[in-house]
Structure formats: C-alpha cells, structure tokens
C-alpha cells in the first residue's frame, strides 16, 4: 500500500474548504500539499489555516506540480470539464464534485481523458457514504426487503441559493435532483429507463427569468420494472430535509430524519425537536467517509465506489429530466440517447 | 332542531356495515330504520345484529319508505348514480360514498336531481373529519404556515383488492387517488388546474389485463400558483400508510403516522412499533365524525361540509388524471373540460 | 345473557359525568336510569343533558331504587366506603372509582359487604383497559420479553389540583401513584413485597401545610424477585405524561407517547408535536372500555377483571408507601401488615 | 498559545485506546508521544498502530519523561490515585478517567497533589461534551425551562461486565451511577444534599457474592430545593440506553434516543429501528470533544470545564449512595461528611 496520497484542492468555496479541511486533518493516508482558488487571498487564507505550505491562484501550477498525486475539483460546475481533462493529462487522480460536467457532451471527453491517461476518478455523490444510505444498501443487498419496486426521495433545501448561483448551476435537475438520481441507481440496483419531469416556481420569482424552477418532481422507471418519484425543492424554510424510501416486495426501508440533536423541549405549546439546518450538519460524516474511501482506493490500487461512469449515468438522467420538463412529456432514455448521438 | 333523522343504508359491504353500525349505536340524533343489500341474507343478518326492524334486498322499498329521511349509499360504485337520483326524487337526503359516480357524465345528472328535489348531500371523503387532517386545516386557516405552496400525499394500501373488485373500481385514480385529490383541495384551499399522471404495475400483474396500475403518481398545479404530488399504491405490504404534507411559506405541516398503538418492543434486533394494518383502524374516528356531521347538518338545516360539488370536483380531477395517464401528457383542466362538453 | 343492566351514577364531578355519558350513549347493554349528586342542580342538569328521567340529590333514593342493578360510585374518596357498603346491602353491583376507600381499614368492611351480599365489584383502574397497556400485558403473557425483571412508570399531571382537593385526596400515594401500583401488579404479574417512598414539594408550597408532596418516587420489589420505580408528579406543566416500561430478560416494552395528534408543524424553530393536555384525552378509550367490560361482566354473570381485591392490594401498597415516606425508611409489606392487624 | 501538548496515555484498555487514537489522529494541538500498559505487548501494538515512537510497560518511565506535558490515566480504578499523585509531582497535567479514585479518602490526596504542583486536571465525565447534554445545559442556562425542579436519568448497559471487572469496579454506584451524579450537578446547576439508594440483583446472580447489584435507583435532593431520581442498570439486553430529563417550572428537556441510524425497516411485523448497541457509538463525539477541550484548555492556559473538584463531588455522592444502600436509609450529605471526617 502507498504510504500516503499527496492531494491538491482546486476551488475553495464551501465544499472545497470542507474537503481541504478533511484532507488536512482527519483522512488517514492523505496529505494536503497545495490549495488553489482564483481568488489568491482565499487560497492563502485556507492554506495558512490548514498549515499547507503551497497555495496558488493558478490551477495550472497545481495541476503541473509533480509532487501531487490526486486533485479534488470543487470549482463552479462550468469549470469541471476543462480542469478534469487537464488533471487527467497530467496523470493526476481525480475527485470531482457533482455534476461531473456542466454539459453532457463534455462528460464523454472527461471520461476519455481519464481512460487514456489511466487515472482513477471518484464523483462526489456523498450520500452513498452516509451511514443511513449505506446501511439501507446493505440491507437491500441482504434481501431484507425482497425485490425493490419503488423508490421515493424528497430533498428540500431550506432556501434557494442566490440568482447568481442558480444562473450557473445547470438548473434544478442537474444541480440538485442529481443526488437522488444517483441514490436511485445505487439503492435500486437498476438503471433508469424513462423520466417525466415537472416543475414550478413557488417561492423565488427570479427563477422564471432564468428558466429554472424551485420545486420539481421526477417520475422514473427502471429496467428492473420498478418505478419511483423524486421531489426536489429549494423552499423548505424549516431546514434541510433529505429522505428516501425503498419499497420492496417483502419490506420497505425509510431513510432520514429531521432531527438535529437528541434533545426535545416540552412546553404547553408542544414537544419540539431542532431540525437539521443545512447540508454540512446532515452529511458531515458522509463527506469525511467519501474522501477516506477515495484515498484508500488510491492507496490500495482499487477503483473508487462511485466512478466517472456513475457520474455520467446520473448526469444523463438529469439532462433527460431537463428535456422532459421543457418538452412537457415523458422521455425514454434509450430513444433520447440515440437521437442525441 | 329536528328530533332525530331516520336513516336507511343501501349496500352492506365493509363500509356500508360500518356506517350502519355507527348510525345504530353511536350517532346522536340518528335512527337506523332500514338496511338494504341485494343479498337478502346479508341484509337480514346486519339488521338482526343491529336491532333494526326492517331489511330488504330491494333498494326501491327502502327508497320509497316514507319514514326514511336520509339514505346512505355504500354500494359498488357503478350503482351510485342510479340510486342517488332515485333517492333524491324520493326526497331523501343523501350520504354517498366516494366516488360520487362511476362516470363523470353521471355526476351532473346526480347533481341536477339533488338540486331539483332540494335534498342535501354529503360525499364520503372522511379524511376531512380525521382529527389530524382537520387540525391541519385549522392551522392553515389560522395562518400557522403562511401561504400553502406545495401539497404532498402518500396513500398506500397493504395489498391490492382482488381483480374482481379492481375491474369495477374505475381504476387507481378514481378509486384510490381521489381521496387525496379531495384532501388537496381541502388543505390547499385552492382548485387544481392541471394534472400529469403516471403509473406502473409493480406487484399485481393482473392489473395489466384490466388496463389499471397498482402504483401511481399525480403531479398537480393549483389556481393559487401552488403545486403538489400524490402517490397512490396498492403495494405497501407493511400496512396502511396514509400521509400528507403541506409546505407553506412560513412552515410545513406533516400529517400521519404509521403507529398503531403506543407500545414499542425493544430487543437486540431493534425498537419495533406495530403499524396500522388497514383503513378501519386508521379512520375509525373519521368515519364516526363524518356521519355525526351529516346527521347534525340535517338536523340543523345546514349544508354538509363535503357536498356533491366537492364530490364532482374530485371526480373530475380523477377523470383528468386517468386521461393524462392514458395520453402520456399533462392535461390542463379548463381546456379538457371545454373539449369534453 | 341479561337484556340490559340498569345503572345509576352517584357523584357527578368530572369523572362521574364521563361515566354517566358513556353509560347513556355508547355502552351496549347498559341503561342509565338515575343520576345523583349532593348538588341537586348538577344532578338535574346532567340528567336533562343525557335524557335520563330520574335524578336526585339523595344517594339513598338511588341506592334504594329497586329498578337499579348497578351503581357507579364517583364521589370524593371519603364517601366511597359508606356508599359502597350501602349499595352492596341493597344488592347493587358496584363500580367504584379508585381508590377503593379513603382508609385501609374501611376497605375490609367494603369487601365483607360485597361478599356477604354476593354482588360484584369493579374498581376504576382504567389503565388496564387502555389499548397500549392491554397490548403490553398480552405480549408479556405471550412471552415476548421473557421474564419481567423491572417496572418503571412515570405519571405526571400538568398542574396540581387545588388545595381543597388535595386536602381530601388521601395524598400523592393514595390519590395518584395508586394507578401505577395497580399497573405494576397487572403488568409484572407479581405482588409487591416492599416499598421505599420519597417525596418533595417542588412547585406547590401549599402542599407543605397539608403534609403532602407534589413529586414522589416509590421504589418497589416484587415477590418474583423483580424490582421497579414509580415517579408521580403534579408539576409537568407541558401536559399529561403517562409512561411505563417493563424490562424483561428477553426484551423490553415501552408504553406511552406524549403525542396528541398525528400532525407536526415544521418551522425554522424546529419540529413541534402537540402534547396530550389532560387525562380525558389520554384515557378516553380506556374509560369507555372499562365500563363496557363491567357491563358485559354483569350481563354474562362473570367476574370483572379488576375486582375489589385488586382495589385493596393497590390501596395497601399506597398506604405502606405513605408510611414509608413518613418514616423515612423502606417497609416490608408482610411485616407491616402483621404489625397493623 | 502553546504550539502543541505532548501527551502520554497510561492504561490501554478499551477507553485508553480510544483516547490514544483520538490524541494521535484527530485532536488539534495534541501530540501523542508515549503509551504505557503493564502488558508490554499491548503497549507496543498500540504504539505501532498509531505511529507513536515510544512505548513502555513501566508507567514511571512515562511519568518521568521530561518531554511529556500531560498524562491520560485510563487504568483500572484502583491505580488512579497513585498514578495521579505521581504524575502531579512530576508536573504533568492530568486527564483522569472516572471515578477520580477508588476510595474517597484517596481523592483528597490527589487534589492536594494537583494543587501543590500547580498542574491542571480534567475528569472523564464525557457526557458534558455530548452534543445533546451540552445543548440541554445551554438551554437551561438560557432560561428555556425556567427553574429546574426535577432531574431524571436512566442509564442501562446492554449486559453486565464479567465478575472480575465488577469485583474491582467499586460497585454500581461508583462505577456506573457516577456519570449521572455528575450530569445531575451539571444540568441542575445545584449540589446534591441527600441520597437514598436502592438496588437489586435481577439478572446476574454472581453480583450477590460480590455485594454488588445490577440495578439501582438513587433518589436525590438538591440545595436548590429540587429533587431527582437516577436509574442504573446492567440488564438492558436491547442495547445501550442513556436518557435524562430536566423538568423545569416553564418547560422540560428530554435528552437521548435509542436510535442508532436514521433507517427504519417496515414490514408486516412493524416498524423497526436499530438501537445504539454500546457506549462507543453513543459517545463517540463526546470522547473526542472532551479530549479536544482538555488540550485546548492546556494550550490556552485555562481551567478544564470538569475539574478534580467535580470528580470529588460526584465521587462523594457515589460513596454516600453506597452507604445509603448498605444502611437501608436516606443519607444527608453534610451530616455524613461531618461524621466521616
């Protein structure tokens, strides 16, 4: 086994900083050697905070650094494809935040570069590493619910990101619902064959000008004969609400809880539990575990559990959902794929 | 106030018997004077059990009985329209189980008969009387969640009724989802403007030959600008699972619980709660309260809270959902209404 | 089976009215023929409300009425013994609210009168009829938890009754903890062999002048070798909180829930459930079921499930707990019984 | 602020290993430089696993090491006093697992040594660092429940440790209930003034020969006028069950949950949640946070939040509870303290 994996992180927004912190302090076998952000001050600030000796505002310096084994790409989505391809060409292993790329056609180029340069890639679908999701997967595999026949997911953000973010996000289906498209494939052990997507603007009027929605619903069918539905919302208000269910022929698994801490307040107004306010609290362990898995896979020479192929599959569902929403009709994925070639 | 309302019940299947028992034993101001079922033995058996002196296998004898003020129609759906019209012509007030009629065009005739004969009518959407649903309604009206912007419902039966029942049921949308179409109108305080319905056969292959599905999903929009989704399933296996949520701009209400009784068993295998097994346990209070409300409305000369108009509105949504499912596209209700005239 | 049991209710406070209402409207086989209260206006008011033709402010008129088969005694505790003895001498069956009598020595006289006059008696320990408690009992009997080794109960009232009530209540142990002494015997299937009782005045200073406490804790041992603890409180504030646990060698049962209705409100302040506010909401079904059981036992000639012997057993535990609290030491029941003879 | 605190761990049982692992890998500002265990192989094994260069089977070598700033004492209880005193004399700061010492008289000597040598000490009451307990404390301090008037705790281990452990543990009150004695002081913000302790052997007969019990109940009063009860058990079977409640004049806080993960399995047998199986899962975060706090306090020159005084206070309650249990009567702490001087 390799002694340790020397890592660089590109993009020091909220998620990039999380990954950097985890790599610097709590991932066994990882060494954070460089951080990059187009805003030099941010790169320097994070480097100092984490005791990292190198920082840069030029991603190419990080990508060209021969002492770096693996690169975490956590920039805005639009930059993913270009950075991923250049990293692969420099022989760096890749951890790419979701979605793999902004446009579906870019994804193929990324995958080609990964294969041509024989590097390995993990996509940031951290839910697979959440203890509840992975326990559910384990139980389904163990046959505890018989054959899975229906998948149901609800993902609600407390508030919408600002218009500037939404404008570059790729839209509700690519930016948000994609987590559940991946969870659906993971938990159902099946591929999506059709999507019918609906959406509305319920609370954020600025979405209309951007052609986006703040609430969506995707009905999906699977090649196993199963079906499912996925609600995504920017409008929860009360907190960060992530749930999933897998209905099986012999039992049903219910994943998730709103509960922030195990303390309840009882008064004459009722029994009140705090609600998980935002994604870092909900998925703190998952972010840590996905990165530990990535580093371990690299050290042991194995393939990460969530590859660029998984990234592509979920991205394709998201693109088809977007097309379905725009066309106002159901889309069969195989047919749509053929037409789009 | 009228001393007491003399009632007859037509159709002594599971629901008809419940209504008859409630009228005979626990509805203040009601008197059950006659029961009818096409199977004479069943009519006699229930009459004896409840201490009712008159029974018949001929609904017309009940409908023509001058001592009867109100009739409960709990027959198979196909017979609703004819019985309701004849009851109205005989001057009887009507409690009609959902759906109002099997076919949408029959519903208009029923409504006309009700108006022409100046009788009053309540439709059996008992969820409105469930303490949890009515508490939710009360809180929405009190402004506790601001403006309602999303409605979500899950209704899952533990197992499908047999093919013989399904064949005459009018299908998933009319027979089952209709409860949530009504709950949606009730809780959202808004009318449905479009439906997009999807469905699959996941566990009961016989559905295919009948052109029905055992799992459906309806995406709806409301004239208030709100949206919603409604899952209906015959495949829960684990019990009778009825839930609803209303997301508002200031808060969200969650209705329902799987919990049968307040007893949990703890063993090294986990903490286990019994699950509500079937609809009578879940809606026992609601069935009682809806009938008490009907009788009280008749005694006080008021209009029942769930009228034939509500019956029609929900039925229309169901018919449009069926059409949407068959056509594979979203249906705007106004346009569809115009075309169907 | 007897056609119907003609009942009279003596004492029309909160509980007496409940029993009267249940007997008048929803207990099959019961007929409420007379109500009595020392306040004539209350007797008349309740009689009119329930459509009962006879009322009186003189219990003896009710007790002497040859058309009455059974009497419900729901007066203040101090009057129980005298009324019960007179009822028995008049050949009336008895439903006596808990505790059986105010003083332990009176209880023996009541039991003698019941036996001498061959009437039957049920004591108002309604928890045995609560669906959760009776389900727990059923499971223990079925062996679901192995041998029961520990009993735990919490009973908390939202607020203390006023000083005038407390002064005549017999104190915390006799008035309140007695419900759990009975539940302990019922669920553990064993007799209490020792008690050690503690108490404090935490929120109601007037208790001190009365020699009573508003919070108590009783540690008990059973002849089976098991043990247990029982907390009783007048100070919950947030609602009516009734819980019990039975720890067994193979599993543990947890009884109770604070939940009033299956509706939760989610806001940024958390997830809030209403709490059961007071005993009528919590034990509505139990009050109904205990009375139905009493009437059925009388009609079928059987012995009620909670007899005067059960009343005596729980009362003895309460008296010993009071003595333990006063003496500041543990009391062995057998020894204490011998000394008190 | 000091750059980093160089630590040694003495005693590499289950808890000692946890502390060593946390210090080696995830406590910012800590450096683990030596581990000691009387079993040399264990010391070597853990040192290699954690990449620590020094290990020894002679605690004195660790205590005499001038490069060590702070020592974690996680040996069997009987060795605490001697090691703590020698560590203090060598100028080492101390993290001592609970209880501070095996015998109350030793505790004074430890405290003297700590003061005389001006070292700082933290006792391992990790519950104070559990997110739920500390949130409860924060809310009480914020006045959310008014004045705290009752404390209730349940701590149940799934199974008893073996007889060999129990024999040297100091007994139920010192070994187990002590966590809740500390939690009581912490949450109530008050000192215990009297204890009345009860206990039984319910499932582990070997306890009798050792003069110990496997189930206990301590009733306590506080100098604030509040009261409370604490159940401790070795017999849960179903898992590790840790709960606490603080009843206040304006509200009540409930701490704890049996829930292991946010996944539920629904089948016709009910809804099942896994239960927390053992203490490491329940208090993983708390162990980490208490050590991080200790290191931070040392680096910043502050006093740890749980001092040797807190250790002594809880130990005194435990000793008095043991005496109360043996004497069969309530003990007033002040009086008992005076007599024992």
């Amino acid at each position: 086994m390799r002694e340790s994996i020397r890592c660089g992180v590109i993009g020091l927004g909220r998620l990039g900083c999380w990954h950097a912190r985890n790599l610097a302090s709590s991932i066994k076998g990882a060494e954070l050697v460089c951080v990059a952000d187009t805003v030099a001050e941010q790169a320097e600030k994070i480097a100092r905070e984490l005791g990292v000796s190198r920082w840069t505002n030029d991603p190419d310096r990080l990508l060209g650094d021969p002492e770096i084994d693996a690169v975490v790409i956590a920039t805005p989505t639009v930059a993913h494809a270009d950075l991923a391809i250049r990293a692969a060409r420099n022989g760096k292993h890749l951890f790419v935040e979701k979605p793999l790329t902004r446009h579906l056609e870019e994804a193929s180029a990324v995958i080609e570069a990964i294969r041509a340069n024989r590097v390995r890639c993990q996509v940031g679908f951290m839910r697979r590493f959440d203890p509840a999701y992975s326990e559910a997967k384990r139980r389904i595999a163990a046959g505890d619910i018989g054959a899975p026949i229906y998948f149901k997911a609800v993902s609600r953000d407390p508030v919408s990101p600002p218009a500037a973010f939404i404008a570059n996000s790729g839209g509700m289906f690519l930016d948000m619902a994609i987590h559940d498209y991946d969870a659906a494939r993971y938990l159902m052990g099946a591929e999506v064959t059709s999507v019918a997507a609906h959406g509305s603007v319920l609370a954020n009027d600025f979405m209309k000008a951007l052609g986006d929605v703040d609430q969506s619903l995707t009905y999906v069918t699977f090649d196993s004969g199963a079906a499912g539905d996925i609600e995504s919302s920017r409008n929860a208000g009360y907190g960060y609400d992530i749930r999933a269910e897998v209905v099986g022929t012999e039992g049903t698994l219910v994943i998730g809880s709103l509960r922030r801490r195990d303390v309840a307040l009882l008064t004459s107004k009722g029994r009140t539990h705090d609600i998980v306010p935002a994604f870092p609290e909900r998925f703190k362990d998952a972010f840590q575990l996905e990165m530990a898995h990535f580093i371990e896979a690299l050290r042991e020479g194995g393939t990460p559990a969530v590859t660029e192929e998984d990234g592509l599959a979920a991205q394709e569902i998201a693109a088809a959902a977007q097309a379905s929403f725009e066309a106002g009709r159901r889309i069969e994925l195989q047919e749509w794929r053929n037409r789009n070639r």
Side-chain angles (χ1 to χ4, degrees), chain A:
Chain A
M1 191 159 70
R2 290 276 309 272
E3 186 81 5
S4 85
I5 305 294
R6 292 159 305 176
C7 300
V9 173
I10 304 179
L12 297 169
R14 201 164 47 164
L15 257 181
C17 286
W18 267 69
H19 290 315
R21 267 186 212 106
N22 280 339
L23 286 166
S25 68
S26 65
I27 306 288
K28 206 170 131 184
E31 202 181 331
L32 180 61
V33 296
C34 187
V35 293
D37 194 276
T38 49
V39 178
E41 291 72 22
Q42 173 72 351
E44 180 173 355
K45 183 186 146 215
I46 299 300
R48 289 195 190 281
E49 178 191 323
L50 301 177
V52 172
S53 55
R54 278 175 271 176
W55 64 86
T56 177
N57 68 343
D58 177 4
D60 277 325
R61 289 191 48 195
L62 190 155
L63 292 173
D65 187 334
E67 290 194 7
I68 286 177
D69 302 312
V71 171
V72 173
I73 299 175
T75 62
T77 301
V78 289
H80 283 193
D82 182 52
L83 289 168
I85 290 168
R86 281 193 284 156
R89 287 186 185 154
N90 280 295
K92 311 301 186 201
H93 299 298
L94 286 167
F95 182 99
V96 186
E97 263 308 323
K98 48 61 46 182
L100 184 56
T101 64
R102 172 65 186 82
H103 300 289
L104 194 51
E105 47 283 15
E106 298 170 325
S108 312
V110 169
I111 289 178
E112 262 173 53
I114 287 168
R115 285 184 192 155
N117 295 284
R118 303 195 171 193
V119 296
R120 278 167 282 156
C121 175
Q122 182 171 327
V123 178
F125 290 129
M126 79 292 183
R127 292 193 191 180
R128 295 195 184 204
F129 296 90
D130 175 71
Y133 281 82
S134 56
E135 170 73 6
K137 176 67 177 175
R138 198 191 60 69
R139 292 207 192 174
I140 294 167
D144 289 10
I145 63 165
I149 57 175
Y150 201 76
F151 175 79
K152 188 172 195 82
V154 172
S155 291
R156 295 183 187 152
D157 277 344
V159 289
S160 175
F165 176 92
I166 294 291
N168 290 307
S169 71
M172 173 63 96
F173 303 100
L174 183 67
D175 182 58
M176 189 168 175
I178 198 167
H179 276 299
D180 286 314
Y181 300 148
D182 181 65
R185 295 180 63 242
Y186 174 61
L187 291 173
M188 300 299 281
E191 294 299 333
V192 168
T193 51
S194 76
V195 294
H198 310 282
S200 304
V201 176
L202 302 179
N204 299 279
D205 273 346
F206 71 79
M207 295 273 180
K208 289 175 184 167
L210 300 172
D212 203 356
V213 293
D214 58 11
Q215 181 101 20
S216 78
L217 195 284
T218 315
Y219 185 78
V220 295
T221 58
F222 297 90
D223 58 6
S224 61
D229 72 79
I230 290 160
E231 183 205 323
S232 312
S233 162
R234 308 277 194 192
N235 311 319
Y238 53 85
Y240 183 62
D241 185 358
I242 304 294
R243 298 174 250 166
E245 293 177 43
V246 181
V247 178
T249 50
E250 309 294 328
T252 288
L253 286 163
V254 177
I255 300 169
S257 155
L258 286 168
R259 214 174 272 210
R260 184 186 198 172
R261 292 191 203 89
D262 286 326
V263 185
L265 176 65
L266 317 181
T267 71
S268 57
K269 288 181 183 165
R271 174 185 175 106
T272 301
H273 249 98
D274 273 3
I275 293 175
V276 176
F279 79 87
E281 284 217 20
R282 174 65 183 83
F283 287 116
K284 186 181 154 233
D285 288 348
F287 285 122
Q288 159 103 19
L289 290 165
E290 72 171 352
M291 199 53 77
H293 171 81
F294 176 60
I295 296 299
E296 199 187 349
L298 295 186
R299 290 174 78 199
E300 294 185 343
T303 305
V306 201
T307 65
E308 65 276 14
E309 302 287 347
D310 293 308
L312 175 63
Q315 192 176 346
E316 195 180 55
I317 299 167
Q322 180 71 34
S324 163
F325 168 63
E326 288 170 6
R329 60 169 190 79
R330 191 165 89 154
I331 283 182
E332 300 290 333
L333 259 78
Q334 187 54 52
E335 190 189 313
W336 176 80
R337 223 175 261 133
N338 294 342
R339 241 202 341 268
N340 285 356
R341 255 174 210 160

